[in-house]
Amino acid sequence: MRCHVCNVAVGDGQRFCHECGESLDGVTNPTEPYDVVAGASPASGSDDLRVEPSEPGDGSTLADPSMGAGNDAGWWAASGGAPEPIDDLPGTEPIGVTPGPGAATLSSLDAVPYEPMDQTPSLDTNPEFERTTAMAPMSAAPAAGLGTTDELPPNGAPGVGSTAQMAVTEAGGLFDGGADVQDYEPVPEGFRLRAAFVFGVLTMIATLMAGVADIIDIRTTRPVDGIIVGIRALDDFGSNLAVAGFIGAAMMLVGGLLSCFGLRWGAGIAGGAGLSLTGWAAVTLGLVEAPIHSAEGVTLNAGEVTPFTLSVTRDLGYFLILSIGIIGLLVFLMTLRMAGTGGRRGLNPWVAAVGALAAVVLAAGPLITLGGAPLDANLGTVGIPKEFFAGRLVQLGLIVVTGVIGFLSVRTYGLGLAFGGLGVATWMWVTSLADLGDLPVSVAVGNLGTRDTTPHAVTTVGVTASLALLIIAATVATVTRRRV
């Protein structure tokens, strides 16, 4: 049906026109369709015309029994033609109905489809898009917080996983990943050949050769009192020196190998062992220079009438020891590039401070003079070559460097540095304390003013304290990293 004013399609029961606002009372009232059954043709004036109600939508039509049911064309022809257009409605255009053969008897207005405006549009239950986010119901959220999990399907983009989790703190803020993040050890880099390992191999070979090679050879044209002639090897200067050098070279080799796998504490061991070998080489060369200096002194002060010639040869072993000291220093400098933290938490500062103090005590022990000798005797004495005093100070100074810097750096590289720096000194302390061998050499050749090779009590305290602090620092670092 349509509005009687603006001719806009309206629905059943609609009270006002949505287009012109005219009242639709009496226009849109619901009605029932009726079947009109005529007993006789309307043209004959018969009184047998009956109107019977029928169910909506049964397809009933006006029929003339004399012309056959549903023959509308015959009825209109018998009744004298089509009716005149209806023009008695105010404000409307005349609406004419001109049925053709076989046309429906209902008005064409009833065939106009409409959709009531006051009905809620139906929701599409099968949307064309596809959901990409599935959120857990609020009832499934934990009682303590508001943690949610968004499951995102892989879209083919690189680096996008199937599940993205966003943690939310109990206070309602996003988790910032601060101090609560667990510290994980970095993924190993795999084997990578480093110079420390290569020089460690070379140092090991050089140390083995130095242990059996000739160091010096002193000759005179005739026997002279005060000059001991002959070839001297490493064991002639100290029964524990060859093994001490081998221990330092082995620690450098192992540390260099560990550094090839990206382990910073391995690089520290290589660097510390390199410095300990440098100190070992300095002390050894200082001992080697002592007989040379004595022979030269006797030759210069000889008052004999018969002349003689002194011949001193520094042989292969001497230069091997010198090269070992230089290589050890180079290895230390090379390993400094791995002295960083590597993303690990620092060592315990209190343990590091006490460890550094123990290294200082260790270095101070051999400087204590005995037998009434003055303290400044450590800087030089008449009749003893300066190389001897320089070698002692170099070894003690490098012990301080490896211990103090190693401990106070509070990182794994420093811990390895302190450990590597104690290798040679610990062996020299143990052998001299236990009096192993014919002529053991203590740390820095012991204390001046006495021929006793037993280490001073201060030296013993420094060595034991340094080793104990190393064990404690390594244990605390390992336990702390596993607990975090």
Side-chain angles (χ1 to χ4, degrees), residues 18-107:
H18 295 296
E19 183 68 20
C20 62
E22 186 69 20
S23 176
L24 300 178
D25 290 339
V27 179
T28 60
N29 293 336
T31 59
E32 294 183 5
Y34 291 89
D35 288 340
V36 179
V37 181
S41 174
S44 62
S46 173
D47 296 332
D48 295 335
L49 183 63
R50 304 187 306 274
V51 179
E52 296 180 358
S54 62
E55 295 297 330
D58 61 355
S60 300
T61 58
L62 296 177
D64 186 356
S66 62
M67 302 179 66
N71 194 343
D72 300 335
W75 187 88
W76 287 108
S79 61
E84 295 295 332
I86 302 174
D87 55 359
D88 56 349
L89 296 179
T92 61
E93 296 295 333
I95 301 175
V97 180
T98 307
T105 59
L106 296 180
S107 172

Side-chain angles (χ1 to χ4, degrees), residues 122-390:
S122 60
L123 298 177
D124 189 0
T125 60
N126 188 16
E128 295 181 0
F129 63 88
E130 184 176 341
R131 291 187 300 174
T132 60
T133 304
M135 299 186 64
M138 292 301 296
S139 60
L146 300 176
T148 60
T149 300
D150 295 340
E151 296 186 0
L152 304 176
N155 298 325
V160 179
S162 59
T163 303
Q165 296 183 350
M166 179 176 64
V168 182
T169 61
E170 297 182 4
L174 290 178
F175 178 67
D176 57 359
D180 296 332
V181 177
Q182 182 177 0
D183 292 338
Y184 293 97
E185 293 193 4
V187 179
E189 302 176 359
F191 184 83
R192 177 183 176 185
L193 185 62
R194 298 184 182 273
F197 175 68
V198 177
F199 281 110
V201 175
L202 296 178
T203 303
M204 176 63 72
I205 297 174
T207 304
L208 294 176
M209 293 177 62
V212 297
D214 297 338
I215 305 298
I216 58 173
D217 186 8
I218 299 177
R219 301 289 180 178
T220 58
T221 55
R222 66 177 180 85
V224 178
D225 293 337
I227 299 178
I228 302 176
V229 297
I231 299 175
R232 287 177 174 86
L234 190 58
D235 287 341
D236 296 326
F237 300 98
S239 57
N240 59 347
L241 289 179
V243 179
F246 178 80
I247 291 176
M251 295 182 69
M252 180 192 293
L253 178 62
V254 174
L257 179 61
L258 295 175
S259 68
C260 293
F261 292 94
L263 300 177
R264 297 178 183 271
W265 57 271
I269 293 177
L275 290 183
S276 68
L277 277 178
T278 301
W280 168 83
V283 169
T284 303
L285 293 179
L287 291 173
V288 170
E289 289 294 330
I292 297 177
H293 182 272
S294 176
E296 291 177 347
V298 171
T299 302
L300 293 175
N301 297 324
E304 299 182 9
V305 179
T306 305
F308 66 92
T309 303
L310 174 66
S311 176
V312 177
T313 303
R314 292 174 175 86
D315 218 326
L316 176 62
Y318 184 95
F319 296 101
L320 286 175
I321 295 174
L322 180 62
S323 63
I324 289 171
I326 296 175
I327 292 176
L329 183 60
L330 292 177
V331 169
F332 166 71
L333 296 177
M334 292 174 184
T335 58
L336 287 177
R337 61 183 302 179
M338 297 185 65
T341 60
R344 296 182 175 91
R345 178 175 296 181
L347 304 177
N348 187 289
W350 292 104
V351 176
V354 177
L357 180 60
V360 174
V361 172
L362 167 60
L367 295 177
I368 300 175
T369 58
L370 301 175
L375 186 61
D376 59 357
N378 293 293
L379 301 179
T381 302
V382 177
I384 302 178
K386 295 181 179 179
E387 292 83 358
F388 173 80
F389 298 100

